[in-house]
Amino acid sequence: MNSIKGIFLLVIALAFQTSFSQKDGYWDKTRATTEEITVSARDRIILKTQDFPEGTTEVVFRITLLDKNQQMAGSLVSVLKAIPDPTGISQGSAGAVFILSKISGEDKCKYAVFSSADLATKYKENGKTDDACLVQDTPVSKDANLLSADKSACMKLNSGNLWFGFESKNWIMNQKIILEVVPWVDNKLSRGWTVENRKAIIDQCKTSNLAQKMSNSDDFCVCILDKIQASYKFKEFQKLLPMERAKAFKDFGNSCFGESNLSTTVYNDLRKQAAGLAKQGKFGEAIIKLATVINDGKATALDYNAIGNNYLLTKQYGKAIKFLKEGEKQDETELLIQLNLAHAYLLNDNYTLAKAIYKEYQAQNVTDSLSWTQKMKQDFENFKKVGIQSKDFERVLRLIN
């Protein structure tokens, strides 16, 4: 009674383990190999499997030797219906025994598995198994095994087929051998999206205009990859015209950009980069970063103020006025814009307009803790540091004081 209970618990444990480790794929029964071959006494023969479908990561094979007039009790394909995925086989001997044939003859043979036709042909000629990826050197009447890409050299090296070589150990009579091979197809890999192919899409994404705006474009490019994988098999995507692929990248990129907080992150990164460049005195590079924010329609009044300030520091006063006026339209109460606008008029030789602005806001603060006059003095000092001089600086200071 205890032994029956123990077996029952073992079965439950195996089923429980399998249910939490199932792989996403299927046994491809339509491209299974089922061959009945006759091996002459003391002879060797090789047999090529059916072409494995794209995405094959594992194969199960079964070899059965039958005596005269014996018939198979059940095919390997029918047996595998009871095993949801290769995990149930790879867990140990229980799975391997389950897929063994119920009957086999008394005859025995050796066999070897090869990853190429050339290696198999050499085996047929000389019987050497040095280049085999799997060797059964002890004669057997039946055998079964799982070959996986993770553990077996046969699957790591295979080119879409395997070659089985058999050597008869019957010195007098012919042998009848049944070879069955069933591939397991990974659903994701069956669409052709190998690691190398996915990496190629990621690399291409990182060269896009949107990705280059980001300090870290990994999440963005993975989002595009997921959408491409869901919409196309790899070969389908490769067959698109260059303009069609470019449009797919653009459309999926816009979708990914809009579906997440990437937009906010990207433009905040650009603002931070611009501020850092300005502190280093790289005002032209800062302008480029801020221009991206503005051209994409994501600019705030402070973005216009920042680009206007950088134009002032590069002595591009007309452009400074243009962008500061745009910022004023967004928020006419932003005094940082008003102060920079006064500076721009002053440096552009329009003292009258500058004077009116300096006088209008002289009693106010530009921030909660910085007065208009203090900020104006700081700005004049910064102008001098970058080589911008004006006789009107002292004139304005006397006016305010």
Side-chain angles (χ1 to χ4, degrees):
M1 186 70 178
N2 288 336
S3 62
I4 294 175
K5 183 179 179 181
I7 293 171
F8 176 75
L9 291 175
L10 176 61
V11 170
I12 292 297
L14 285 173
F16 182 80
Q17 183 178 352
T18 300
S19 66
F20 283 93
S21 58
Q22 286 188 356
K23 299 184 179 182
D24 185 18
Y26 60 94
W27 295 110
D28 193 333
K29 302 173 179 66
T30 61
R31 279 177 276 194
T33 299
T34 303
E35 295 285 346
E36 181 178 316
I37 56 176
T38 300
V39 184
S40 301
R42 296 173 292 178
D43 197 6
R44 284 187 296 274
I45 192 170
I46 57 175
L47 183 65
K48 178 184 176 182
T49 64
Q50 298 281 351
D51 294 342
F52 298 148
E54 190 168 15
T56 297
T57 58
E58 285 143 312
V59 298
V60 168
F61 71 84
R62 183 170 72 175
I63 296 167
T64 309
L65 276 73
L66 300 178
D67 289 338
K68 187 177 181 180
N69 298 325
Q70 278 188 311
Q71 299 294 324
M72 291 292 294
S75 69
L76 179 58
V77 166
S78 64
V79 171
L80 289 175
K81 290 180 180 178
I83 304 177
D85 66 60
T87 309
I89 299 170
S90 60
Q91 283 174 345
S93 59
V97 170
F98 185 59
I99 65 172
L100 281 176
S101 172
K102 293 182 181 179
I103 62 170
S104 64
E106 295 180 0
D107 290 341
K108 295 183 179 182
C109 74
K110 296 181 180 180
Y111 71 88
V113 185
F114 299 88
S115 58
S116 74
D118 290 342
L119 298 178
T121 301
K122 290 178 182 178
Y123 160 79
K124 185 177 180 182
E125 294 171 353
N126 57 34
K128 294 182 179 180
T129 58
D130 297 345
D131 295 322
C133 56
L134 178 67
V135 177
Q136 175 53 265
D137 209 27
T138 302
V140 293
S141 61
K142 58 183 177 182
D143 203 3
N145 207 338
L146 170 74
L147 305 178
S148 69
D150 295 336
K151 299 178 181 179
S152 171
C154 296
M155 297 304 294
K156 290 177 182 177
L157 299 174
N158 92 88
S159 57
N161 301 91
L162 290 176
W163 286 258
F164 282 76
F166 297 96
E167 181 178 352
S168 171
K169 302 314 293 180
N170 192 329
W171 286 79
I172 302 175
M173 303 294 290
N174 294 344
Q175 291 181 324
K176 185 165 70 170
I177 300 175
I178 307 294
L179 171 66
E180 301 167 280
V181 184
V182 184
W184 172 267
V185 182
D186 181 284
N187 279 333
K188 193 170 185 179
L189 293 180
S190 69
R191 296 177 62 79
W193 291 105
T194 62
V195 172
E196 293 77 12
N197 293 339
R198 298 200 302 274
K199 185 177 183 299
I201 297 296
I202 294 289
D203 290 343
Q204 186 174 348
C205 166
K206 286 183 175 292
T207 66
S208 67
N209 291 332
L210 273 175
Q212 290 183 344
K213 295 176 183 177
M214 306 173 190
S215 58
N216 186 341
S217 60
D218 289 352
D219 289 346
F220 173 68
C221 288
V222 168
C223 176
I224 290 179
L225 173 62
D226 288 343
K227 289 185 180 297
I228 291 176
Q229 286 185 100
S231 301
Y232 300 96
K233 291 184 177 181
F234 178 72
K235 289 182 178 178
E236 293 173 347
F237 189 70
Q238 289 299 94
K239 289 179 181 178
L240 294 177
L241 295 173
M243 62 186 69
E244 291 175 320
R245 285 200 297 271
K247 185 178 185 302
F249 265 103
K250 181 180 178 181
D251 291 345
F252 291 138
N254 289 336
S255 177
C256 289
F257 202 61
E259 286 176 4
S260 63
N261 62 352
L262 281 174
S263 177
T264 301
T265 302
V266 166
Y267 295 114
N268 285 340
D269 282 346
L270 287 170
R271 293 179 181 107
K272 290 177 182 177
Q273 292 171 35
L277 289 166
K279 285 181 179 179
Q280 299 173 47
K282 299 177 180 179
F283 307 118
E285 294 181 41
I287 287 171
I288 293 173
K289 299 293 183 183
L290 292 166
T292 300
V293 179
I294 292 170
N295 292 337
D296 288 354
K298 302 296 182 180
T300 64
L302 290 178
D303 293 326
Y304 283 104
N305 178 67
I307 197 170
N309 187 60
N310 281 289
Y311 275 124
L312 284 175
L313 295 169
T314 55
K315 301 182 181 180
Q316 300 181 76
Y317 307 128
K319 290 184 178 179
I321 294 170
K322 171 188 173 182
F323 283 98
L324 290 167
K325 293 293 285 183
E326 288 296 320
E328 186 181 35
K329 291 176 184 178
Q330 287 204 3
D331 186 358
E332 61 182 12
T333 67
E334 179 52 68
L335 295 192
L336 289 173
I337 291 178
Q338 296 297 335
L339 183 57
N340 271 329
L341 194 54
H343 297 334
Y345 286 136
L346 183 70
L347 294 170
N348 204 39
D349 295 327
N350 195 333
Y351 178 79
T352 302
L353 286 179
K355 175 184 175 181
I357 298 174
Y358 284 130
K359 289 289 290 180
E360 183 177 355
Y361 300 107
Q362 65 177 334
Q364 298 191 42
N365 281 2
V366 294
T367 69
D368 60 349
S369 58
L370 185 64
S371 73
W372 174 275
T373 302
Q374 289 173 322
K375 182 69 169 70
M376 182 184 69
K377 291 178 179 180
Q378 290 177 6
D379 291 346
F380 287 169
E381 290 301 316
N382 288 333
F383 290 148
K384 292 175 183 178
K385 287 178 182 178
V386 297
I388 298 175
Q389 298 286 346
S390 174
K391 63 181 184 302
D392 290 327
F393 288 164
E394 291 302 323
R395 188 178 178 187
V396 172
L397 290 173
R398 287 194 300 271
L399 172 72
I400 297 303
N401 290 332

